[in-house]
Amino acid sequence: SAVISQKPSRDICQRGTSLTIQCQVDSQVTMMFWYRQQPGQSLTLIATANQGSEATYESGFVIDKFPISRPNLTFSTLTVSNMSPEDSSIYLCSVVGNGGLYNEQFFGPGTRLTVL
Amino acid sequence: SQQGEEDPQALSIQEGENATMNCSYKTSINNLQWYRQNSGRGLVHLILIRSNEREKHSGRLRVTLDTSKKSSSLLITASRAADTASYFCATVRRNGQNFVFGPGTRLSVLP
């Protein structure tokens, strides 16, 4: 298993500003994911962040809006840029252990973002 | 597009009763996983069932998988108020490149 922490746990931001969310894992992992969960909805994958390469974004998500860093095997950041109220969501990072997606994912506690 | 689809969307039962949630999906999968989420917090992995398995148990949880019908069910027996949460199924396709969550079932267990 993996223990994951996220910072901040919640934030209230003004329209047009940016917020960077940090994800820290207690062990080295290859695959790390960022999800968005809009109010009352399920999780939607934003991107896959692998160390040593650029993040791979899902349809509907672009690097300019959600830049991601993955400087090492235990840490990643997601920035929500030029925020609007529609970006109000919970943002979660997750990792998978050895064996990739054929095993379970471990999730961080999430960052609850409110954009005014 | 969404792969897993759960039903019901919301379920309310009395403590001690059993709760059954269903998940359907559209494409061939490597495995299907169930997760629980309490009050908008992070997800907790409950159980993973592989495409060559038909049933798995873990404590009060029982998961079935019918690949011919592309469906799975999660049964929670002898429910407790602490089981109140949202439950999501997630599917992993055979190529292991996609991990897709269903819309979830909100379970309320009343004391």
Side-chain angles (χ1 to χ4, degrees):
Chain A
S1 65
V3 177
I4 304 170
S5 60
Q6 284 185 235
K7 289 181 182 179
S9 59
R10 59 176 62 224
D11 207 342
I12 300 173
C13 300
Q14 295 296 322
R15 181 195 297 261
T17 62
S18 298
L19 176 71
T20 295
I21 302 167
Q22 299 179 6
C23 180
Q24 180 75 52
V25 189
D26 69 341
S27 57
Q28 294 186 339
V29 293
T30 301
M31 301 180 78
M32 186 176 283
F33 306 92
W34 286 99
Y35 288 88
R36 181 177 73 184
Q37 186 178 27
Q38 293 176 305
Q41 302 296 313
S42 184
L43 281 73
T44 300
L45 181 64
I46 297 172
T48 302
N50 294 327
Q51 195 268 339
S53 62
E54 284 196 6
T56 302
Y57 289 83
E58 298 297 306
S59 176
F61 298 96
V62 295
I63 188 172
D64 289 346
K65 175 68 176 178
F66 297 101
I68 288 171
S69 77
R70 184 78 199 275
N72 56 53
L73 291 174
T74 63
F75 186 78
S76 178
T77 67
L78 168 75
T79 298
V80 186
S81 303
N82 188 24
M83 289 184 285
S84 66
E86 292 71 33
D87 294 319
S88 297
S89 296
I90 297 172
Y91 292 86
L92 300 112
C93 67
S94 74
V95 302
V96 292
N98 295 332
L101 288 176
Y102 299 121
N103 296 306
E104 68 264 31
Q105 289 194 17
F106 302 97
F107 284 84
T111 295
R112 185 182 292 271
L113 170 63
T114 302
V115 184
L116 303 178
Chain B
S1 61
Q2 284 283 19
Q3 169 88 310
E5 298 284 339
E6 286 101 332
D7 75 86
Q9 292 187 351
L11 179 63
S12 184
I13 60 173
Q14 294 290 328
E15 209 165 22
E17 294 180 339
N18 296 340
T20 300
M21 289 159 272
N22 302 299
C23 170
S24 61
Y25 57 92
K26 296 188 175 83
T27 66
S28 296
I29 61 171
N30 173 275
N31 67 70
L32 185 145
Q33 304 178 26
W34 285 91
Y35 289 81
R36 183 184 73 220
Q37 184 180 38
N38 291 85
S39 301
R41 301 287 294 170
L43 275 71
V44 174
H45 179 264
L46 295 176
I47 199 163
L48 181 155
I49 186 165
R50 303 195 188 280
S51 60
N52 62 351
E53 298 175 310
R54 293 295 168 259
E55 187 171 313
K56 285 190 83 168
H57 296 257
S58 177
R60 294 184 295 113
L61 306 180
R62 173 178 170 254
V63 168
T64 63
L65 180 64
D66 187 335
T67 53
S68 67
K69 295 181 180 178
K70 291 186 167 58
S71 68
S72 173
S73 68
L74 170 67
L75 168 67
I76 304 174
T77 60
S79 64
R80 305 167 182 167
D83 294 328
T84 295
S86 291
Y87 291 83
F88 296 92
C89 72
T91 52
V92 178
R93 292 190 181 178
R94 288 190 183 279
N95 62 8
Q97 295 303 308
N98 298 87
F99 197 93
V100 180
F101 283 85
T105 293
R106 293 187 307 279
L107 173 66
S108 297
V109 181
L110 307 174

